[in-house]
Amino acid sequence: MTDQVIYDRGYRTYEGPRTGPKGARRAVYREGIRRVLGLGRKARLKVFPWALISIALIAAAVFIGVHWAIGNIEESLREGVPT
């Protein structure tokens, strides 16, 4: 029979606060946001996600501006423009 060696890997049980299912959902949500936005990573890895967010916000601002501008023009100029 060969000699068996037991290695102590240093695993320990969790000793922090138990927050239950609600805390687990919160942790998954928080870490998901951090991963999607690249938080905690190098700056060059943050450029793409933040650029997409910026493009979406700029597009929304343009649509709101166009809607506001169309609402302020005369009725005769609004013909054929969807409301």
Side-chain angles (χ1 to χ4, degrees):
M1 185 164 212
T2 62
D3 294 330
Q4 299 294 323
V5 179
I6 298 175
Y7 294 102
D8 181 14
R9 303 288 296 203
Y11 294 118
R12 294 178 289 185
T13 60
Y14 179 70
E15 297 175 358
R18 305 286 182 182
T19 56
K22 193 181 250 186
R25 282 190 294 273
R26 190 174 345 143
V28 169
Y29 176 77
R30 184 175 57 238
E31 292 304 316
I33 294 296
R34 286 181 50 84
R35 175 159 301 218
V36 167
L37 297 180
L39 301 177
R41 295 179 178 262
K42 295 179 181 178
R44 65 181 174 85
L45 297 175
K46 295 177 189 175
V47 171
F48 185 68
W50 286 104
L52 290 179
I53 291 171
S54 300
I55 290 169
L57 290 175
I58 290 169
V62 167
F63 284 126
I64 291 171
V66 168
H67 185 273
W68 176 81
I70 289 175
N72 289 337
I73 61 176
E74 293 182 26
E75 186 67 35
S76 62
L77 297 175
R78 272 195 266 174
E79 292 177 14
V81 176
T83 58

